[in-house]
Amino acid sequence: MLTVALPKGSLLKDSIRLFQSVGLDFSALLEPGNRLLQITDPTQTAKALLVRNSDVPVYVEYGQAQLGVVGYDVLREKTPQVAQLLDLGFGQCRLSVAVKQTSPYRTALELPLYGRVASKFVQCAREYFESLDLPVEIVPLYGSVELGPITGMSEAIVDLVATGTTLRENGLIETDVLFESTARLIAHPLSYRLNADQLTNWVEQLQAQVQLQAKG
Amino acid sequence: MVYQSPTGARDLLPLDVVQKRWIEERLQQVFHRWGYHRIITSTLERLDTLMAGGAIARSTVLQIQEADDDLGLRPELTASIARAAVTRMAGATFPLRLYYNANVFRRSHVNSPSGQQEYYQAGVELLGMGGTLADAEVLLLVVDCLASMGLQGASLLLGEAGLTRSLLSVFPEAIRENVRRAIAQLDRIALETLPLSAEVRDRALFLFELRGKPADVLQKVASLDLNAEQQTAVANLKSLVDVLEQQLASSNEPMFVPTVTLDLSLIQTINYYTGLVFEVVAPSSSGLAVVATGGRYDQLLGLYHPQGQSYPGIGFALQIEPLHQVLLDTGRLPQQTPVSDWLVVAESEQAYGAAIAYARTLRSAPHPVRVELDLGRRSPVEIQDYAQHRRIARIAWVKAAGDVVIESVNSP
């Protein structure tokens, strides 16, 4: 059976709406009090797995899910071996460098040599600072990255920015954008090549919906 | 202190070996039936030999420092066989039909979850002659291998590296490599965002989608404005697919026939394949697994020839570990190691000679018999328990005078 890996959190609603538009209804996952991690749609055509954003490409790479919805930021960070098929348009955000408002720095290039940068996106941050030829220490954190500069542990952070509210409220300002991100439709490469579970057909339908919404 | 095996190393215990041999013996019988001869090449090769084909990165080779030579453990067999074929076997009559069954080594990537570094492969190389029949032979041979193991539900994924490369040549050189990489990695979004004119982008997306039932794909390719060379490649591919599908349709064992998908986007980012490329994909409880890969390499042998003379070549490697996994799910592999037929027991120290002699007599039976010698120091009850536990069929109690009492323990 076709299995779709859906990300918990901010992308979930839009992901479910997208699959609803092609007749696969996983909205039971949105019901308050839902604790199921795996559901089948009412037509018994497809299954959905509810997993962490960063685990979506793992399930797809190993083929337990043939399709998945995941932010481009995760794809950049993890570089999984998956087929990247569609830019879904929603979940817009950017991966940015931010520093304390009160700090003297206004671009990443001004950061001190061997300064510290806290981030959940260790790979992306490392690549970025290597491309600037600026040796910094990347401090891996798993949440509340903004505390890095606030507590003085790090000079800067590399984190996702959607509206910028969190940064502002914590006295941080954005200095550089590493890249823009949106949600992507990914597929298990072998399943896609072999058209397992009529995958190509589903992808075409999803593509048509995405194009329709982009126009509308 | 505890001596541990190095990271990524695996020991194969007797049951693992019995199952592995079950697979390898079946493959070997198929290779023999098709007239292939086993070749054994060195586990160690010079690094430049391994890397000459351009498909092996230095970073994937486990390297060994020697005084004068940079050596590495082979990550695959084709380079070694190509080297041996053009140098050691110079003057041999073509075609050469060679097979191997060997371990290969790949440095595990930092991110690799298994960390495995040693693998086993069995495969063939058909050297010195090209053409549709050679391609068909190798494809039908790999299909026979699947049937010999009773592997059902497999898929055969075919591509044509030469044709795809040629179709990619319409793209401006500056971005061709990007297009190629995006197609190889199935990155459709990259194709859509590359700086391409609308017409060129449509062509790239057309290539990206070139997969499906062979007849449909061939029809789609034929709709392109092809040059003479490309037309020949398409015609050859069509006759290969025709031969293959005709043979598969008339198979005596239809349950083992794989479905065939033609995928002209099936290219690796770097490799030495020049024509047909293929993968065999099999279903397992943990998802789809690639159990064999192969292809045609008509330039590779020339790299090893002293005068640079090249010969056609085609081959494939079956990956034993994923095959083992897939076959475990089917329940076809042996579930236990072979049991002994006899346990020969000397009833007293004076009977040692008679017991050894009796065991020797049993072993000399025309059909193979497994005979264990009891090593003493156990009571008759303990011996019977042991025989029961090990499922040994019979105990021969030998007395000093040479008299033997036979006791049936487990019905064979």
Side-chain angles (χ1 to χ4, degrees), chain A residues 109 124-134 178:
Chain A
L109 276 169
C124 292
R126 185 168 293 140
E127 276 168 32
Y128 178 71
F129 284 98
E130 271 171 17
S131 76
L132 296 180
D133 199 19
L134 183 64
L178 278 65

Side-chain angles (χ1 to χ4, degrees), chain B residues 2 21 24 68 72 84 88 100 120 163 179 199 237 243 246 255 288 299 318 334 365 378 400 403 405:
Chain B
V2 178
R21 290 293 303 150
E24 289 167 347
D68 302 325
R88 295 280 317 282
Y100 56 87
Y120 291 89
L163 178 59
V179 174
E199 189 194 351
L237 189 55
V243 171
Q246 187 196 343
M255 61 281 204
L288 297 172
Q299 308 300 325
L318 289 139
R378 281 194 285 203
D403 303 340
V405 176

Side-chain angles (χ1 to χ4, degrees), chain A residues 62-64 78-79 82-87 123 184-185 188-194 196 200 204 207 211, chain B residues 113 155 157 183-189 192 208-209 211 261 263 265-266 279 281 285-290:
Chain A
Y62 281 81
Q64 267 60 42
K78 302 240 169 183
T79 54
V82 294
Q84 304 186 27
L85 299 179
L86 285 175
D87 185 339
Q123 290 301 330
R184 305 291 161 95
L185 181 74
H188 178 235
L190 272 180
S191 300
Y192 184 64
R193 288 190 190 281
L194 294 170
T200 319
E204 278 167 9
Q207 189 177 2
Q211 278 166 0
Chain B
S155 304
L157 198 54
I183 289 178
Q185 296 176 349
L186 291 177
D187 190 346
R188 194 177 197 279
I189 298 170
E192 283 181 343
F208 185 90
E209 308 280 356
R211 74 179 69 79
T261 299
D263 183 352
S265 75
L266 183 68
E279 291 183 358
V281 181
S285 58
S286 58
L288 297 172
V290 175

Side-chain angles (χ1 to χ4, degrees), chain B residues 153-209:
Chain B
S155 304
L156 183 58
L157 198 54
L158 303 181
E160 225 288 1
L163 178 59
T164 305
R165 188 171 297 136
S166 168
L167 292 174
L168 282 167
S169 63
V170 299
F171 296 101
E173 205 164 341
I175 54 129
R176 195 180 302 155
E177 196 41 47
N178 291 335
V179 174
R180 181 182 164 75
R181 192 175 316 123
I183 289 178
Q185 296 176 349
L186 291 177
D187 190 346
R188 194 177 197 279
I189 298 170
L191 285 185
E192 283 181 343
T193 47
L194 279 173
L196 301 172
S197 70
E199 189 194 351
V200 173
R201 166 157 312 129
D202 284 350
R203 171 60 78 91
L205 291 173
F206 183 87
L207 288 184
F208 185 90
E209 308 280 356

Side-chain angles (χ1 to χ4, degrees), chain A residues 84-95:
Chain A
Q84 304 186 27
L85 299 179
L86 285 175
D87 185 339
L88 301 175
F90 58 82
Q92 276 184 355
C93 59
R94 53 194 184 271
L95 192 68

Side-chain angles (χ1 to χ4, degrees), chain A residues 6-215:
Chain A
L6 297 177
K8 287 180 183 172
S10 59
L11 300 179
L12 185 60
K13 258 191 187 163
D14 286 320
S15 306
I16 285 175
R17 195 171 305 137
L18 174 69
F19 281 94
Q20 270 173 334
S21 71
V22 298
L24 298 176
D25 185 1
F26 301 123
S27 59
L29 290 174
L30 286 175
E31 279 165 22
N34 168 63
R35 287 180 177 274
L36 289 176
L37 299 176
Q38 177 179 317
I39 61 159
T40 308
D41 84 293
T43 66
Q44 307 290 316
T45 316
K47 260 191 321 202
L49 310 177
L50 186 60
V51 301
R52 275 180 70 133
N53 200 12
S54 56
D55 290 341
V56 168
V58 180
Y59 283 93
V60 175
E61 184 171 0
Y62 281 81
Q64 267 60 42
Q66 289 81 46
L67 288 177
V69 175
V70 67
Y72 177 64
D73 51 299
V74 175
L75 296 176
R76 281 286 293 264
E77 176 68 14
K78 302 240 169 183
T79 54
Q81 306 266 321
V82 294
Q84 304 186 27
L85 299 179
L86 285 175
D87 185 339
L88 301 175
F90 58 82
Q92 276 184 355
C93 59
R94 53 194 184 271
L95 192 68
S96 297
V97 181
V99 297
K100 246 159 92 169
Q101 177 91 57
T102 54
S103 79
Y105 317 118
R106 286 299 174 265
T107 80
L109 276 169
E110 294 169 8
L111 288 172
L113 275 187
Y114 312 112
R116 291 200 191 123
V117 178
S119 186
K120 274 186 276 190
F121 294 83
V122 174
Q123 290 301 330
C124 292
R126 185 168 293 140
E127 276 168 32
Y128 178 71
F129 284 98
E130 271 171 17
S131 76
L132 296 180
D133 199 19
L134 183 64
V136 294
E137 182 184 340
I138 311 288
V139 182
L141 287 180
Y142 297 94
S144 305
V145 181
E146 297 81 5
L147 281 173
I150 294 173
T151 59
M153 177 177 68
S154 70
E155 275 79 22
I157 62 171
V158 169
D159 203 16
L160 286 181
V161 182
T163 58
T165 315
T166 314
L167 288 184
R168 249 190 326 279
E169 287 178 354
N170 285 290
L172 302 179
I173 56 162
E174 195 177 350
T175 60
D176 307 79
V177 176
L178 278 65
F179 56 79
E180 307 273 340
S181 175
T182 48
R184 305 291 161 95
L185 181 74
I186 59 173
H188 178 235
L190 272 180
S191 300
Y192 184 64
R193 288 190 190 281
L194 294 170
N195 192 20
D197 301 301
Q198 302 300 308
L199 204 53
T200 319
N201 188 12
W202 288 111
V203 172
E204 278 167 9
Q205 288 188 48
L206 291 164
Q207 189 177 2
Q209 285 301 324
V210 170
Q211 278 166 0
L212 209 70
Q213 281 163 22
K215 275 180 204 152

Side-chain angles (χ1 to χ4, degrees), chain B residues 344-366:
Chain B
V344 177
V345 185
E347 287 196 11
S348 66
E349 210 173 314
Q350 290 70 37
Y352 282 2
I356 292 171
Y358 187 68
R360 186 169 60 225
T361 314
L362 289 174
R363 289 189 192 107
S364 64

